[in-house]
Amino acid sequence: MSLVKDTRAICRKVKIAHSVCALPFAFTGAFLAQKTILPPGADWAAPSWRVLLPLTLAMVAVRSFAMAYNRLADLDIDSENPRTLSRPLVTGELSVAFTKRFLLACALIFTSACAALNTTCLLLSPVALAWSAFYSHTKRFTQFCHYALGSVLGLAPVAGWLAVRPDTLGYPAVILFFAVALWVAGFDILYACQDAEFDRRMGLFSMPARQGVPMALFTSSW
């Protein structure tokens, strides 16, 4: 029963249902890459389920890893913020030890899914995991932390492309990387506005805390 309770709590904590947010971008990269390998005049065809299945598994696993790591890395901050006092790690509903085991499981699932795709994805999997974890620390030293978060989700179309075309990275995937990264950064700046005063008091480097909410809103809109 404890395992079931912990699993429910951590799924709620990492908002695992929101993983669908990244899947359209990953699938877009995969479908665009698939189009480039079809012979001239051939009927359009979707990528094989042998690509889409492990790609889906990889995206859910890496996003769950990133969210769980973020909650663990920010535990000291969340314990001081009135807005986040109800989070399972803060209340003690979820233990640090279980969260670490969940991180390990997500990393293993992600790496295995990448291995099922191709060698390129497997070799790049440690880089993706490291970057997914690193962004959680950026708000401690730079106001561009929102763009670091954006770049994590921006990797989704790149991953989708490489799942189909590991031999080359096409310009559509690069364009989508920047489009998704800037889009996510924009709404993360909006999200950070609610904690502007708290972040300033804690010495954190969110854009609303450093530049003020009006300038942050202008930057997000731009």
Side-chain angles (χ1 to χ4, degrees):
M1 291 298 294
S2 177
L3 179 61
V4 173
K5 182 181 177 181
D6 287 345
T7 302
R8 287 176 178 172
I10 202 159
C11 286
R12 186 171 72 252
K13 179 185 73 168
V14 304
K15 302 183 186 301
I16 197 166
H18 292 187
S19 295
V20 71
C21 180
L23 288 178
F25 304 126
F27 286 167
T28 299
F31 276 67
L32 288 173
Q34 180 70 20
K35 187 177 180 180
T36 66
I37 62 176
L38 295 175
D43 293 334
W44 180 86
S48 166
W49 66 269
R50 291 182 177 85
V51 170
L52 295 181
L53 184 59
L55 178 61
T56 300
L57 192 60
M59 294 307 302
V60 172
V62 74
R63 189 192 178 281
S64 300
F65 174 90
M67 286 292 291
Y69 186 91
N70 178 261
R71 295 293 187 261
L72 193 60
D74 283 355
L75 181 56
D76 57 332
I77 298 173
D78 290 345
S79 299
E80 300 290 335
N81 189 344
R83 184 178 62 81
T84 57
L85 290 179
S86 62
R87 288 180 173 173
L89 265 176
V90 177
T91 63
E93 179 185 359
L94 196 63
S95 70
V96 170
F98 182 84
T99 302
K100 290 180 177 178
R101 291 196 294 271
F102 179 80
L103 283 172
L104 179 60
C106 287
L108 290 174
I109 293 171
F110 174 69
T111 304
S112 299
C114 288
L117 286 168
N118 53 62
T119 302
T120 299
C121 290
L122 175 61
L123 292 176
L124 290 175
S125 60
V127 179
L129 288 171
W131 189 251
S132 296
F134 173 70
Y135 92 83
S136 293
H137 300 282
T138 55
K139 65 182 176 184
R140 290 167 171 79
F141 61 86
T142 177
Q143 61 181 304
F144 296 106
C145 52
H146 314 285
Y147 298 95
L149 172 59
S151 69
V152 173
L153 195 58
L155 290 176
V158 174
W161 182 284
L162 292 176
V164 176
R165 291 287 309 271
D167 57 313
T168 182
L169 183 60
Y171 74 89
V174 176
I175 292 174
L176 281 172
F177 167 81
F178 286 105
V180 174
L182 292 175
W183 171 65
V184 172
F187 73 67
D188 190 59
I189 293 171
L190 295 178
Y191 185 79
C193 286
Q194 61 188 323
D195 290 332
E197 290 300 324
F198 174 80
D199 288 349
R200 193 176 296 116
R201 188 169 68 251
M202 294 292 291
L204 299 173
F205 285 76
S206 70
M207 196 167 285
R210 294 292 158 170
Q211 296 187 2
V213 171
M215 182 56 70
L217 291 175
F218 173 79
T219 301
S220 176
S221 299
W222 181 83

